[in-house]
Amino acid sequence: VLWSSSDDTVASVAADGTITALKAGNAVITATAEDSEGALTATCNVTVTTPVSGVELDKSEEELRVGETVQLTANVLPADADNKEIRWSVSDSSILSVEDGLVTALKGGEAYVNVATVDGNFQARCKVAVIVDATGVELDKTEETIQIGDTLQLNASVLPADATEKKVTWSVDDEEKAEVSEDGMVTAKVAGDVVVTATTVDGGFTAECTIHIEKKSPQTVSVTGVKLNKERATIGVKETLQLSASILPENASNKNVSWT
């Protein structure tokens, strides 16, 4: 039997009938047998396909706001692959939806858009961050009174609750009277009134707290006891004896005593 191919560039055939695929296309493999009555032939139609070797997306990262969309494009490799069918999916359907590569942002957060080839199950993905803009800010205190040297912690809540950027900056209108740290801790320095302001990094929304700073009240130290300089004494008629009382502790606030 003699073997032959109608297109050796597409498929070649060896003397034992082994066919080797060389490139995509079609070829007819013929087996020819000769005897005294003439040549006899049989044929086989061979289609050579190009298998998928991978898939790529035109974007690897994307940012959207709620309600926005973006079209992703997938390229199946190689370009002449026969089966270019792909499937789309998302890692969190509450954050994103996808249809034929069109991605829609549903709520704030991060999720992945995935694409996979039907042939070979090659995959690629795009990370999508859905941004929720800040609409305001609130403080847990709007007015407070503290004394010189005291501290007050203020806490800011950026609105809405699922806003992407929750950072705020702090400031005080009179730095001689009070100072405020990066985390909202206020320290009173001089008596008077100050206004502490929290400003959102996203959008520049503000909230204020008025703080009244008072002079430090003197600390009261309670009396714990009293002692006399003598426990027993003997004196004569018309003589005098001076007794003295010691209040405990020595730094007690009220050292007045009464005698009976």
Side-chain angles (χ1 to χ4, degrees), residues 155-167:
N155 299 299
S157 301
V158 177
L159 304 176
D162 60 346
T164 301
E165 180 57 80
K166 295 182 179 295
K167 186 177 180 181

Side-chain angles (χ1 to χ4, degrees), residues 17 120 144 218:
E144 194 72 23

